[in-house]
Amino acid sequence: MIALNFDKTADGMLPAIAQDHHTHEILMLAYINKTAWEMTLKTGKAHYWSRSRNKLWLKGETSGHIQIIHRILVDCDEDTVVYQVEQVGQAACHTGHRSCFYRQIDGDHLVAEGSRIFDPAAVYGRKSS
Amino acid sequence: MIALNFDKTADGMLPAIAQDHHTHEILMLAYINKTAWEMTLKTGKAHYWSRSRNKLWLKGETSGHIQIIHRILVDCDEDTVVYQVEQVGQAACHTGHRSCFYRQIDGDHLVAEGSRIFDPAAVYGRKSS
């Protein structure tokens, strides 16, 4: 199993970027520890470590919007990875947008692009995943 | 000026992903603090905070391979940004590769893709930037 540089950070967390495997759109960034990394490699589904809930997080465990791994890229320092994925349900963001990066800077404003793919209240109730 | 959630981390650092503005290839990930963020917005050139040198880092200050900002995307939590850039000199990685993510996982191995665009020893001497 490929080893990453988990000792580099005090909390053993490294960033993982999820990117659409076809369009290369960046969908989200979340954190992985050794457990999440190993589960991702083992299952072929993107796992992260939820820092707010302090538990292993299979992306889509609540919404069903899992991320199927097509390819994993590792950076020069082995402290960041890119998951190239197929995003089931089209949307990665808990707000219902395709990407968490759905806003761009325009002068002193943030301007949203595109519309919501799903209604978060209908998918999560009051929770987010 | 757009405010990010720098209070979210103990050290005030947030990840910034640099992505080719045209192909959407992910070039690198580095960290920003408030100073680096403000310098990026002010100058239109990607700035980061070097954690190893503990100083402001204009990407390309040694190599000349600066990153010209075309667009900046902000995520739903305002704790991660994407710099969509034009990479001067073609290569973002201190190893001489176009992207820091030049290796992919193939079973239990890391397989490099593409060749070096420049020779790091010629560009940096013994330093890296």
Side-chain angles (χ1 to χ4, degrees):
Chain A
M1 196 166 277
I2 301 291
L4 300 178
N5 226 334
F6 289 109
D7 295 340
K8 191 145 178 184
T9 57
D11 59 3
M13 300 281 176
L14 298 177
I17 305 162
Q19 178 181 42
D20 183 282
H21 74 108
H22 185 62
T23 65
H24 290 180
E25 181 180 10
I26 297 174
L27 299 172
M28 58 182 279
L29 179 145
Y31 290 84
I32 56 173
N33 60 7
K34 195 162 181 286
T35 302
W37 174 239
E38 290 179 356
M39 280 299 285
T40 299
L41 293 178
K42 188 174 162 188
T43 64
K45 295 172 186 168
H47 287 72
Y48 305 95
W49 191 264
S50 168
R51 296 183 299 173
S52 57
R53 291 177 286 156
N54 196 31
K55 66 187 280 283
L56 183 66
W57 170 30
L58 165 64
K59 168 69 185 166
E61 62 196 1
T62 305
S63 62
H65 300 165
I66 66 167
Q67 295 173 333
I68 300 166
I69 301 286
H70 280 241
R71 217 158 73 122
I72 298 179
L73 310 180
V74 177
D75 81 331
C76 49
D77 296 326
E78 282 137 36
D79 62 6
T80 309
V81 297
V82 173
Y83 292 165
Q84 291 190 336
V85 303
E86 176 189 343
Q87 176 63 61
V88 172
Q90 299 303 319
C93 186
H94 74 285
T95 60
H97 290 89
R98 171 149 179 77
S99 166
C100 293
F101 299 93
Y102 65 94
R103 296 175 300 174
Q104 68 165 299
I105 292 183
D106 183 3
D108 282 340
H109 300 280
L110 282 175
V111 178
E113 293 193 317
S115 53
R116 285 194 168 120
I117 290 171
F118 65 80
D119 172 8
V123 171
Y124 299 114
R126 292 189 181 183
K127 284 183 59 188
S128 65
S129 171
Chain B
M1 196 165 277
I2 301 291
L4 300 178
N5 225 334
F6 288 108
D7 294 340
K8 190 145 178 185
T9 56
D11 59 3
M13 301 281 175
L14 299 177
I17 305 163
Q19 178 182 40
D20 183 281
H21 74 107
H22 186 61
T23 66
H24 290 181
E25 181 180 10
I26 297 174
L27 300 172
M28 58 181 278
L29 178 144
Y31 291 84
I32 56 173
N33 60 8
K34 196 161 181 287
T35 303
W37 174 239
E38 290 179 354
M39 280 300 285
T40 300
L41 293 178
K42 188 175 163 187
T43 63
K45 296 172 186 169
H47 287 73
Y48 305 95
W49 190 265
S50 169
R51 295 182 300 173
S52 57
R53 290 177 287 156
N54 196 32
K55 65 187 281 282
L56 183 66
W57 170 29
L58 164 64
K59 168 68 184 164
E61 62 196 2
T62 305
S63 63
H65 300 166
I66 65 167
Q67 295 173 333
I68 299 166
I69 301 286
H70 280 241
R71 218 158 73 122
I72 298 179
L73 309 180
V74 177
D75 82 331
C76 50
D77 295 326
E78 283 139 34
D79 61 6
T80 308
V81 296
V82 173
Y83 291 165
Q84 291 190 336
V85 304
E86 176 189 342
Q87 177 63 62
V88 172
Q90 299 303 319
C93 186
H94 73 286
T95 62
H97 290 88
R98 170 149 179 76
S99 166
C100 292
F101 300 93
Y102 64 94
R103 297 175 299 173
Q104 68 164 298
I105 292 183
D106 183 4
D108 282 339
H109 300 280
L110 283 174
V111 179
E113 293 192 317
S115 52
R116 285 193 167 120
I117 289 172
F118 66 80
D119 172 8
V123 171
Y124 299 116
R126 292 189 180 184
K127 284 183 60 188
S128 66
S129 171

